[in-house]
Amino acid sequence: MDLIYGIDLLGTMVFAISGAMAANRKGIDIFGATFMGFVTAIGGGSLRDVFLNIRPVWVEDGNYLLAIFTGVLISVLFNKNLYSFARTLFLFDALGIGFFTIVGVQKSLSYESSAMAAVMLGMFSASMGGVIRDTLMNETPLILRKEIYASACLAGAICYVLLHMTPISENFNAFISASLVFLIRFLSVRYNLSLPSVPPVEEKET
Amino acid sequence: MDLIYGIDLLGTMVFAISGAMAANRKGIDIFGATFMGFVTAIGGGSLRDVFLNIRPVWVEDGNYLLAIFTGVLISVLFNKNLYSFARTLFLFDALGIGFFTIVGVQKSLSYESSAMAAVMLGMFSASMGGVIRDTLMNETPLILRKEIYASACLAGAICYVLLHMTPISENFNAFISASLVFLIRFLSVRYNLSLPSVPPVEEKET
Amino acid sequence: MDLIYGIDLLGTMVFAISGAMAANRKGIDIFGATFMGFVTAIGGGSLRDVFLNIRPVWVEDGNYLLAIFTGVLISVLFNKNLYSFARTLFLFDALGIGFFTIVGVQKSLSYESSAMAAVMLGMFSASMGGVIRDTLMNETPLILRKEIYASACLAGAICYVLLHMTPISENFNAFISASLVFLIRFLSVRYNLSLPSVPPVEEKET
């Protein structure tokens, strides 16, 4: 339990770093960077909890906010250096979305959502923070662009819900499903893979 | 009751088609199209439910998600052909927003919102899905442009709340008010009507 | 109590004016102006209440909606003249965000959020309405630009939470903390102050 709590705080911090770095890249002031770190880190999980009609965890547990401020501080102090760690940060992020997806599915199921809703809410947990980050920065959200990101979360969430119906232990299931998210994300970036889109319709002149 | 439930699922599917088609037009991948279909279909109703402090219906009833995936599938498989049905889709959409508006007002009243809040929440139910769709696609929301869309919903919602104070039966009231939304929407597109805006203030050089 | 209720309604009205004026400037129709006035006025407080898992106040108390419609009406009728009152409106807005911040902190604490979460939610109450307004208008939110706005709210919220631990009376604390928000906002605009940003990283050619 303590391990999961620790990973959750660490993942929150990594998300806060990603939000604050996006703000730093655009020359936004340090308050704006803190704000972006905050909404990126809490956005996905808060939306899930709001839909489950429960309170987001950070409203009562101050440690999440401390993790966020630590992440923002790191991004402000070590901004330049962080770019040398781009690969490390990418790995952390890929691990983080795998973890957040599965935690999101588990929480939704334990609050009695349907299995399908748990899949959507697990995917939301991991990806909506980034959607809010991109929308506030006035950019088309990453998940609407060509990269495989939230679809990796979706695959992992579906995997968890399916294995949940088998006698496999919950912990083992969580490990397999989170690894699947990580692997899909990792391989898609490594080999530059993307999903097909529907061919656009040519508009005829009339 | 079963009829209303069926219409609700059908309306959800039509909204999902509209969201997914918007994504297809921009060359977004099939996952992004699914995501857009989903948020367009559930956005308005979920926001209403969150403000009423209850759980959105799709969190517990998997049929809504099935309706959405069916809509997305239709938009992906029949993308090109759907444009030939543009007129049919428009009629479905106009019927859909009429229906969603009134269902939204009824639900809000039954959860003891004030009459005025029920009007706003009814209008939200029908129009916020599209607002979220446009915002995520990085466009100015349709309802902030010249077309009469959410204002048709507003008129229908006000009509329902006013007739609700008379001895008219609830079903008849719902039918009249939903038809009003449909009629305003239909006629405004047919005759290219729009609401006035406040004349912009000329900025003086100083 | 009646005074605070009155100020709350007045602040709501001022926020509605600011939202509707933003819409008027872009030539958006009167429905869109009403919609923008509404979301600007209720956005911040509603988000706070949703995170606290309670119902936003306007869902049950129709007076807030009346205050908003009054604000929109003022902005539509006196649009041109309001620009002559730009300074007055600025002062009202600065007072308003001070007031909303502290009310937001108090409400969050009374619903048993952690002290740190109360700070964030107080800042949210006063500033998220504007963030939603700017995002819907497809602009980079004001609080991500150079002006000191939400950071003034943050300072006031922190001040309140800190003084809350001392024997100072709640009313006196509220007065001091709200004045701090007002003063920081006022002086930063008067003397054109801004927070530093993290220097952008030069991208090396490779």
Side-chain angles (χ1 to χ4, degrees):
Chain A
M1 208 59 186
D2 282 331
L3 177 68
I4 290 187
Y5 185 61
I7 300 180
D8 207 23
L9 289 176
L10 194 71
T12 303
M13 195 186 80
V14 172
F15 271 18
I17 292 179
S18 116
M21 283 178 74
N24 292 342
R25 267 198 298 278
K26 292 223 171 178
I28 288 167
D29 68 31
I30 50 174
F31 171 80
T34 309
F35 180 81
M36 290 304 301
F38 180 71
V39 296
T40 306
I42 64 132
S46 298
L47 197 66
R48 175 200 62 216
D49 292 347
V50 162
F51 283 152
L52 291 173
N53 203 14
I54 56 178
R55 267 196 195 188
V57 69
W58 59 270
V59 173
E60 270 156 15
D61 182 349
N63 286 341
Y64 286 87
L65 293 174
L66 282 180
I68 290 169
F69 296 134
T70 310
V72 171
L73 203 66
I74 289 174
S75 87
V76 167
L77 293 181
F78 303 109
N79 186 45
K80 218 174 246 174
N81 313 50
L82 283 174
Y83 285 89
S84 331
F85 291 108
R87 192 166 298 184
T88 315
L89 279 175
F90 164 72
L91 288 179
F92 266 111
D93 188 74
L95 286 170
I97 60 170
F99 178 78
F100 276 142
T101 302
I102 303 310
V103 167
V105 175
Q106 289 178 323
K107 192 166 185 182
S108 304
L109 287 176
S110 77
Y111 280 93
E112 290 169 3
S113 76
S114 75
M116 258 190 295
V119 166
M120 298 308 285
L121 292 171
M123 189 261 285
F124 266 33
S125 308
S127 60
M128 288 306 282
V131 170
I132 297 170
R133 177 196 65 212
D134 297 340
T135 303
L136 289 181
M137 306 288 277
N138 211 0
E139 289 174 358
T140 302
L142 178 66
I143 74 165
L144 296 183
R145 285 179 259 147
K146 280 289 176 193
E147 256 182 88
I148 289 178
Y149 190 95
S151 30
C153 304
L154 189 65
I158 292 174
C159 173
Y160 184 89
V161 164
L162 290 180
L163 291 182
H164 191 64
M165 297 167 189
T166 70
I168 284 178
S169 87
E170 210 168 311
N171 284 341
F172 189 52
N173 184 359
F175 176 74
I176 291 179
S177 304
S179 304
L180 182 66
V181 177
F182 174 78
L183 267 179
I184 295 178
R185 174 70 181 143
F186 179 78
L187 293 175
S188 74
V189 169
R190 181 80 178 71
Y191 295 105
N192 207 14
L193 306 175
S194 63
L195 291 173
S197 62
V198 176
V201 175
E202 281 175 49
E203 314 222 355
K204 289 175 203 137
E205 304 202 10
T206 47
Chain B
M1 207 59 185
D2 282 330
L3 178 67
I4 291 187
Y5 184 61
I7 299 180
D8 207 22
L9 290 175
L10 194 70
T12 303
M13 195 186 78
V14 172
F15 271 19
I17 292 179
S18 115
M21 283 177 75
N24 292 342
R25 267 197 298 279
K26 291 223 172 178
I28 289 169
D29 69 30
I30 50 174
F31 171 80
T34 309
F35 181 82
M36 289 305 300
F38 180 71
V39 297
T40 307
I42 64 133
S46 299
L47 198 65
R48 176 200 61 216
D49 292 346
V50 162
F51 284 153
L52 291 173
N53 203 14
I54 55 177
R55 267 197 194 185
V57 69
W58 59 269
V59 173
E60 271 157 13
D61 182 349
N63 287 340
Y64 286 87
L65 294 174
L66 282 179
I68 290 169
F69 296 134
T70 309
V72 171
L73 204 65
I74 289 174
S75 87
V76 168
L77 294 180
F78 304 108
N79 187 45
K80 216 173 245 175
N81 313 51
L82 283 174
Y83 285 88
S84 332
F85 291 108
R87 190 165 297 183
T88 315
L89 280 175
F90 164 72
L91 289 178
F92 266 112
D93 187 75
L95 286 170
I97 61 171
F99 178 77
F100 277 141
T101 302
I102 304 311
V103 167
V105 175
Q106 288 178 324
K107 192 166 186 182
S108 304
L109 288 176
S110 76
Y111 281 93
E112 288 168 6
S113 76
S114 76
M116 256 191 296
V119 167
M120 298 308 284
L121 291 170
M123 188 258 285
F124 265 34
S125 308
S127 60
M128 287 307 282
V131 171
I132 297 170
R133 177 195 62 212
D134 296 340
T135 304
L136 289 181
M137 306 287 279
N138 210 2
E139 289 174 359
T140 302
L142 179 66
I143 74 165
L144 295 182
R145 284 178 260 148
K146 280 292 177 191
E147 256 182 87
I148 289 178
Y149 190 95
S151 30
C153 304
L154 189 65
I158 291 173
C159 173
Y160 184 90
V161 164
L162 291 179
L163 291 182
H164 191 65
M165 298 167 190
T166 70
I168 283 179
S169 88
E170 208 168 311
N171 284 340
F172 190 52
N173 184 359
F175 176 74
I176 291 178
S177 304
S179 304
L180 182 66
V181 177
F182 175 79
L183 266 179
I184 295 178
R185 174 68 182 146
F186 179 79
L187 293 175
S188 73
V189 169
R190 180 81 179 73
Y191 296 105
N192 208 12
L193 306 175
S194 62
L195 291 173
S197 59
V198 175
V201 175
E202 281 176 49
E203 314 221 356
K204 288 174 204 140
E205 302 203 9
T206 47
Chain C
M1 206 60 186
D2 282 331
L3 178 67
I4 290 189
Y5 185 62
I7 300 180
D8 207 23
L9 289 175
L10 195 69
T12 302
M13 195 185 80
V14 172
F15 271 19
I17 292 178
S18 115
M21 282 177 76
N24 291 342
R25 267 197 298 280
K26 292 224 170 178
I28 287 168
D29 68 31
I30 49 173
F31 171 80
T34 309
F35 180 81
M36 289 305 301
F38 179 70
V39 296
T40 307
I42 63 132
S46 299
L47 197 66
R48 175 200 62 215
D49 292 346
V50 163
F51 283 153
L52 291 173
N53 203 13
I54 56 178
R55 266 197 196 187
V57 70
W58 59 269
V59 173
E60 271 157 13
D61 182 349
N63 287 341
Y64 286 87
L65 293 174
L66 282 179
I68 290 170
F69 296 133
T70 311
V72 171
L73 204 65
I74 290 174
S75 88
V76 167
L77 293 181
F78 304 109
N79 186 45
K80 218 172 243 175
N81 313 50
L82 283 175
Y83 286 87
S84 332
F85 291 108
R87 191 165 296 186
T88 316
L89 279 176
F90 164 72
L91 289 178
F92 267 111
D93 187 75
L95 286 170
I97 60 170
F99 177 78
F100 276 140
T101 302
I102 304 311
V103 167
V105 176
Q106 289 178 322
K107 192 166 185 183
S108 303
L109 288 175
S110 78
Y111 281 93
E112 291 170 3
S113 76
S114 75
M116 256 191 294
V119 166
M120 297 308 286
L121 291 170
M123 188 258 287
F124 265 34
S125 308
S127 60
M128 288 306 282
V131 170
I132 296 170
R133 177 195 63 212
D134 296 340
T135 303
L136 289 180
M137 306 288 277
N138 210 1
E139 289 174 358
T140 302
L142 179 66
I143 74 165
L144 295 182
R145 284 178 259 146
K146 281 289 176 194
E147 258 182 87
I148 288 178
Y149 190 94
S151 30
C153 304
L154 189 65
I158 292 173
C159 173
Y160 184 89
V161 164
L162 291 180
L163 291 182
H164 192 64
M165 298 166 188
T166 71
I168 284 178
S169 87
E170 208 167 314
N171 284 340
F172 189 52
N173 184 0
F175 177 75
I176 290 179
S177 305
S179 303
L180 182 65
V181 177
F182 175 79
L183 266 180
I184 295 178
R185 174 70 182 145
F186 180 79
L187 293 175
S188 74
V189 168
R190 180 80 178 72
Y191 295 105
N192 207 14
L193 305 176
S194 63
L195 291 174
S197 60
V198 175
V201 176
E202 281 176 48
E203 314 221 356
K204 289 174 203 141
E205 304 203 10
T206 47

